[in-house]
Amino acid sequence: MLICPSRGGLFQCTGNGRARRATRTPLPPRNAAVAPPAAFLRDPDSSHGQIVQFKLSDIGEGITEVTVKEWYIKEGDSVSQFDSICEVQSDKASVTITSRYDGIIRKLHYNLDEIAYVGKPLVDIEIDASKGVAPEEDVVETPAMSHEEHTHQEIKGHKTLATPAVRRLAMENNIKLSEVIGTGKDNRILKEDILSFLAKQTGAILPPSPKAEIIAPLSKSETVPTAPKDKARKIPIPISRPVVFSGKDKTEPITGFHKAMVKTMSAALKIPHFGYCDEIDLTHLVQLREELKPLAQSRGVKLSFMPFFIKAASLGLLQYPILNASLDEGCQNVTYKASHNIGVAMDTEQGLIVPNVKNVQVSSIFEIASELNRLQALGSASQLGTNDLTGGTFTLSNIGTIGGTYAKAVILPPEVAIGALGKIQVLPRFNGKGEVFKAQIMNVSWSADHRIIDGATMARFSNLWKSYLENPALMLLDLK
């Protein structure tokens, strides 16, 4: 076979003088070395197949690099189409990469926590030469799988349930999951099971948790006598010694969601913010939620206060659409968003993430609660998809779950407003008759883009949102 250069790329020349396209690789510059097509490499040790360089294709959202968080295969493993290859994480979401080919894994190009680049080889797969493959599409991406879907692992003919973190812990200690007895639900292997198995293998004894020693107070008759003054003077004074500390500074690259936070907050602080704060009496809402919690639980949904806050905000945005808008970079045009995609800030092990509930304006409180449950479960498992994390139009941040009363929230561009919710406190307040009663008080701190939103608009929106929460029955008039 001869490789003949042409303007359109590389062509394979046949004996009759005709040429057919060999790959879609563009012709290299003049005087440059011509390399073989990147998608296929001939394996000198194999007479049955050829090596395909499985490349990481464009994930979208302008992502050019990802971090390899977990490999589901190793060199020498056989894979089929749609089998999971690895899980990668960008600064926006986690994505599971699946195979397009049937073959044998010959090489992994990256270790865990290394940066993989779009368009570069991810793994080498040996495939059957008799089966044609399309070199244009080297990778298939699927949205991040749910926690239950990717915890199954086939080992010696039976299913073993374990989270990726547990599987990684087992791999680091050379432990086969098939030899570990799971104590979790449905025989799921937990982290404690791995540690217990490791202790039995090494003979290590886990130290007991320290307990404070309780010393009974001395009675007056058992009081220690005071030492004479002359003896007290003879007590030696300890000589202070310099403290020796051998710790070293550690430098780590900023990756994943932290990298996204750097970009977003750098852009956010270019926006002229102004704040507005108020307090909300949630006494009636607390009672209503207690009545509805058992009904929601019977439907398999955990009902928190956040669905009420989100729905009340959506009803307010219908009256003040400027708060559900975006401003272009040149500050020349305002786009009023038709959908109310309200984001909820979540604190996770990997940092701050803000998934959003889509189309709140046409959703019931129960539907919002169900979607929140889903987002929280995926967020805890680091399995949120790109669609969950993009497209937000308005944001609420519930700092009260951790603590605190007020906060100066930072707007997430291209949004123009955000609210920070404080903790709910039982405080004394006066009713209309001047009588003191126990009230369930929550504080809210709003931040808005002062380029297109004025203080009066923010105050009116806050008052309307407040009225819905202080008198939940009012929401019935505007619910759709």
Side-chain angles (χ1 to χ4, degrees):
M1 180 186 73
L2 298 177
I3 300 299
C4 304
S6 173
R7 292 184 179 179
L10 298 180
F11 287 78
Q12 178 178 336
C13 297
T14 60
N16 57 9
R18 296 180 181 177
R20 62 182 180 87
R21 185 176 296 274
T23 69
R24 296 187 180 180
T25 306
L27 187 64
R30 182 172 296 179
N31 299 327
V34 178
F40 299 96
L41 298 175
R42 183 68 62 185
D43 186 359
D45 299 328
S46 174
S47 60
H48 303 288
Q50 58 188 17
I51 301 298
V52 177
Q53 286 195 328
F54 188 93
K55 296 179 182 178
L56 179 64
S57 67
D58 188 7
I59 296 177
E61 297 292 330
I63 296 169
T64 59
E65 61 183 42
V66 295
T67 303
V68 178
K69 301 305 294 183
E70 184 172 4
W71 286 107
Y72 297 122
I73 45 86
K74 62 182 182 297
E75 293 180 2
D77 284 355
S78 297
V79 294
S80 301
Q81 293 186 46
F82 307 111
D83 282 355
S84 296
I85 295 291
C86 65
E87 180 182 340
V88 299
Q89 184 181 81
S90 69
D91 56 3
K92 298 181 182 296
S94 295
V95 177
T96 299
I97 306 299
T98 60
S99 175
R100 185 174 182 269
Y101 310 114
D102 298 334
I104 301 174
I105 301 298
R106 291 304 184 194
K107 181 179 179 181
L108 306 182
H109 285 269
Y110 300 97
N111 296 320
L112 291 177
D113 295 325
E114 285 188 348
I115 303 298
Y117 296 91
V118 170
K120 299 297 183 181
L122 196 61
V123 297
D124 289 352
I125 303 179
E126 179 185 338
I127 64 172
D128 189 345
S130 63
K131 298 180 179 180
V133 293
E136 300 90 348
E137 301 179 48
D138 289 334
V139 100
V140 175
E141 298 119 14
T142 61
M145 294 183 294
S146 68
H147 185 65
E148 290 298 326
E149 286 175 336
H150 82 290
T151 55
H152 294 272
Q153 184 181 21
E154 187 78 26
I155 298 179
K156 293 185 179 180
H158 71 277
K159 298 282 187 179
T160 298
L161 292 175
T163 62
V166 171
R167 294 206 303 272
R168 183 173 181 180
L169 179 62
M171 180 181 66
E172 291 174 349
N173 291 277
N174 296 320
I175 296 175
K176 295 182 179 180
L177 293 181
S178 59
E179 299 176 356
V180 181
I181 299 175
T183 60
K185 183 180 179 181
D186 298 327
N187 297 323
R188 183 186 301 275
I189 297 176
L190 307 177
K191 178 181 178 182
E192 291 76 11
D193 299 330
I194 299 294
L195 296 177
S196 177
F197 182 85
L198 184 62
K200 292 178 182 178
Q201 295 296 315
T202 60
I205 301 176
L206 298 178
S209 57
K211 296 182 179 179
E213 183 179 357
I214 301 176
I215 302 176
L218 297 176
S219 61
K220 292 184 179 180
S221 60
E222 297 176 348
T223 304
V224 179
T226 305
K229 292 183 179 180
D230 55 343
K231 291 185 179 181
R233 292 174 183 174
K234 294 180 181 180
I235 297 176
I237 300 175
I239 300 175
S240 61
R241 297 179 181 179
V243 178
V244 179
F245 179 67
S246 58
K248 296 182 180 180
D249 295 344
K250 181 173 65 173
T251 302
E252 294 181 347
I254 298 176
T255 60
F257 294 125
H258 292 285
K259 194 170 184 178
M261 188 185 301
V262 171
K263 297 177 182 178
T264 303
M265 293 299 102
S266 297
L269 292 180
K270 296 178 182 179
I271 299 173
H273 287 56
F274 82 89
Y276 179 84
C277 302
D278 201 356
E279 74 170 31
I280 320 295
D281 184 357
L282 299 180
T283 303
H284 295 306
L285 181 60
V286 170
Q287 296 172 354
L288 176 62
R289 174 177 171 265
E290 288 300 319
E291 296 174 2
L292 297 179
K293 275 176 63 177
L295 178 60
Q297 191 172 3
S298 67
R299 299 182 183 182
V301 173
K302 179 181 179 182
L303 182 63
S304 63
F305 289 105
M306 186 57 74
F308 296 95
F309 300 153
I310 292 174
K311 189 62 182 179
S314 178
L315 295 174
L317 294 176
L318 292 173
Q319 303 298 320
Y320 299 96
I322 187 64
L323 296 173
N324 196 60
S326 64
L327 185 65
D328 65 2
E329 293 184 0
C331 299
Q332 300 297 318
N333 300 287
V334 177
T335 301
Y336 294 86
K337 303 293 185 177
S339 297
H340 296 173
N341 299 338
I342 298 183
V344 180
M346 292 185 182
D347 177 41
T348 69
E349 294 180 357
Q350 295 179 321
L352 176 68
I353 57 176
V354 189
N356 58 82
V357 181
K358 298 287 194 298
N359 297 313
V360 176
Q361 76 281 2
V362 292
S363 301
S364 67
I365 291 177
F366 178 79
E367 290 170 338
I368 297 170
S370 179
E371 177 66 2
L372 271 180
N373 287 183
R374 185 186 72 85
L375 294 174
Q376 289 166 346
L378 292 178
S380 299
S382 302
Q383 293 295 316
L384 284 167
T386 303
N387 184 60
D388 297 323
L389 295 167
T390 56
T393 61
F394 186 88
T395 298
L396 292 176
S397 177
N398 190 6
I399 61 169
T401 56
I402 300 175
T405 308
Y406 295 95
K408 186 178 180 181
V410 179
I411 299 169
L412 298 175
E415 299 174 18
V416 295
I418 185 174
L421 312 176
K423 62 183 178 181
I424 300 176
Q425 306 176 85
V426 179
L427 298 173
R429 290 294 184 267
F430 291 95
N431 58 19
K433 298 180 180 180
E435 301 169 338
V436 177
F437 71 100
K438 291 195 300 184
Q440 303 278 351
I441 300 298
M442 181 189 75
N443 297 99
V444 61
S445 305
W446 301 104
S447 293
D449 187 339
H450 216 340
R451 293 174 297 183
I452 58 172
I453 299 174
D454 56 66
T457 301
M458 189 75 253
R460 293 188 180 101
F461 167 82
S462 181
N463 289 339
L464 180 58
W465 181 76
K466 174 180 179 179
S467 67
Y468 285 133
L469 297 178
E470 291 190 337
N471 303 282
L474 294 179
M475 285 194 283
L476 295 176
L477 298 176
D478 297 319
L479 286 178
K480 295 183 179 179

